[in-house]
Amino acid sequence: MSSTEHSTPRHTALDALHRSLGATMTDFAGWDMPLRYGSERDEHTAVRTRAGLFDLSHMGEIGVSGPEAAALLNFALVGNIASVGVGRARYTMICRSDGGILDDLIVYRLAEREFLVVANAANAQVVLDALVERGAGFDAEVRDDRDAYALIAVQGPESPGILASLTDADLPGLKYYAGLPGTVAGVPALIARTGYTGEDGFELFVKPEHAVELWQALTKAGEGVGLVPCGLSCRDTLRLEAGMPLYGHELSTSLTPFDAGLGRVVKFEKEGDFVGREALLAASARAAQDPPRVLVGLVAEGRRVPRAGYPVVAGGEVTGEVTSGAPSPTLGRPIAMAYVDAAHAAPGTTGVGVDIRGTHEPYEVVALPFYRRQK
């Protein structure tokens, strides 16, 4: 049963703790999740300048193991998963046979024959079903591991120091998009250096029964450096500033990776066939000859906030569509991501606006991301 099929929302192992902290809860992809604890602007700023703590236990974990696990994932996904080293992770996508994006994923190689696929909460069942179906004939097992994990993220410039105080794992040696097993505050965890905020940070996969203990230990360790609990609302503004796509907004089954400007994740050179290959070859050729709409950043000249679905206009004509929009706490102005015609996609293009309830509000076209952290 998928999470959205439940008559009442599912609860993470941290549900009671969120409520004790006064969180505003919301139904997200069939899960009751914290939207914010206080001010979402303050939570956003804390992640940019100090550190924030997130419950991401709604994400969909799928285990793939066995002698042909790598071959199965190479066939099922568009990336070259067989080339991922043990202890490393890769951003990739799963597409339909027509090339449309079913979901974007992170795949961790835990061992030679063992992988952890992490799907978006809303798509977890779709991805699981597709992997099971595509796994027929491969000597590999596909497991629904959603109930086996709680996922806690600590993000922000202070996060390495906070985590280092609770673990003897080699954090300095842990590269971006890598993961290693270790213990954090005495809790066994997969420690991954990944995130969705544009900041340095870590995602900790643990057993659900250890989630509260770990959250409390991280909270205590971060007291002196301004760590705060953070909800999904600031997670969205953080990823928007960092130019990171969100499924259902920048990515969908009506777009191929080439339409989304993410054709680089498709690896035609890998060994063997994969689902969507022919359609994606055609999409690649089409994109080279007739560029599709381009995903760009838009920064408001005024104060009105654009929302997903609003038309982008130029010269009185519709030239694109907003996919995500919000006030940017870091820039101090409303921002948006939008797919626009190639003729109006160059940074600095003038005369572009967003139709906000009949008024064409002026916007500046900028390159993504809006925000890039200082290394």
Side-chain angles (χ1 to χ4, degrees):
M1 183 182 287
S2 74
S3 56
T4 52
E5 288 169 344
H6 287 256
S7 56
T8 56
R10 298 176 69 177
H11 297 99
T12 77
L14 293 161
D15 182 75
L17 192 150
H18 297 315
R19 294 172 193 278
S20 74
L21 293 171
T24 299
M25 306 296 287
T26 189
D27 185 345
F28 183 82
W31 291 82
D32 217 9
M33 297 297 296
L35 188 65
R36 69 182 73 82
Y37 297 84
S39 158
E40 54 202 53
R41 175 179 287 270
D42 289 350
E43 291 171 24
H44 180 110
T45 302
V47 175
R48 285 277 177 261
T49 60
R50 302 184 305 278
L53 194 57
F54 296 83
D55 178 10
L56 305 180
S57 302
H58 62 311
M59 299 295 281
E61 294 89 1
I62 301 164
V64 182
S65 59
E68 294 184 334
L72 186 165
L73 290 171
N74 258 21
F75 171 71
L77 312 180
V78 301
N80 188 352
I81 308 306
S83 69
V84 178
V86 173
R88 298 307 303 267
R90 184 157 297 167
Y91 176 79
T92 187
M93 293 181 182
I94 182 168
C95 291
R96 303 192 308 192
S97 57
D98 66 359
I101 302 167
L102 282 173
D103 202 12
D104 61 335
L105 313 165
I106 295 180
V107 180
Y108 297 89
R109 189 168 203 159
L110 306 180
E112 194 61 33
R113 298 179 171 190
E114 186 178 357
F115 296 83
L116 177 64
V117 178
V118 182
N120 285 296
N123 297 332
Q125 191 67 41
V126 169
V127 174
L128 176 66
D129 292 346
L131 288 176
V132 169
E133 181 184 339
R134 296 174 189 189
F138 287 92
D139 186 6
E141 178 193 9
V142 177
R143 294 184 312 278
D144 181 355
D145 279 349
R146 283 176 286 182
D147 292 336
Y149 292 102
L151 179 57
I152 296 173
V154 55
Q155 298 278 303
E158 298 287 352
S159 59
I162 293 168
L163 196 58
S165 72
L166 296 173
T167 183
D168 57 5
D170 180 18
L171 298 184
L174 185 63
K175 295 179 175 150
Y176 187 51
Y177 266 69
L180 84 168
T183 57
V184 182
V187 170
L190 171 64
I191 305 167
R193 198 164 208 155
T194 46
Y196 195 52
T197 63
E199 298 297 336
D200 192 9
F202 303 87
E203 295 184 335
L204 307 171
F205 295 84
V206 299
K207 289 182 178 178
E209 57 264 33
H210 293 148
V212 170
E213 176 188 351
L214 180 58
W215 180 282
Q216 291 173 336
L218 288 162
T219 299
K220 191 169 191 321
E223 278 176 354
V225 291
L227 173 84
V228 301
C230 294
L232 294 181
S233 186
C234 84
R235 180 170 152 90
D236 190 50
T237 53
L238 288 160
R239 71 91 195 167
L240 177 56
E241 287 184 352
M244 294 177 169
L246 174 63
Y247 195 89
H249 290 255
E250 289 71 41
L251 308 174
S252 71
T253 52
S254 65
L255 297 171
T256 72
F258 294 95
D259 297 321
L262 292 164
R264 64 182 181 275
V265 306
V266 181
K267 303 301 181 186
F268 293 116
E269 71 278 8
K270 66 180 175 177
E271 191 176 325
D273 195 12
F274 62 91
V275 177
R277 182 187 179 94
E278 293 307 314
L280 290 169
L281 275 169
S284 174
R286 204 164 50 240
Q289 290 182 346
D290 181 19
R293 282 182 167 177
V294 180
L295 188 64
V296 301
L298 299 174
V299 178
E301 294 181 18
R303 310 302 302 175
R304 296 186 73 187
V305 178
R307 298 298 182 191
Y310 285 11
V312 178
V313 292
E317 300 289 324
V318 174
T319 187
E321 183 176 298
V322 171
T323 53
S324 297
S328 165
T330 304
L331 275 63
R333 289 197 280 170
I335 60 172
M337 287 199 282
Y339 282 111
V340 302
D341 294 343
H344 298 93
T349 299
T350 56
V352 172
V354 175
D355 185 338
I356 301 181
R357 299 187 184 89
T359 303
H360 292 185
E361 298 287 336
Y363 274 74
E364 178 189 357
V365 179
V366 300
L368 292 170
F370 299 97
Y371 166 85
R372 197 184 300 273
R373 72 181 172 94
Q374 299 300 308
K375 300 291 184 182

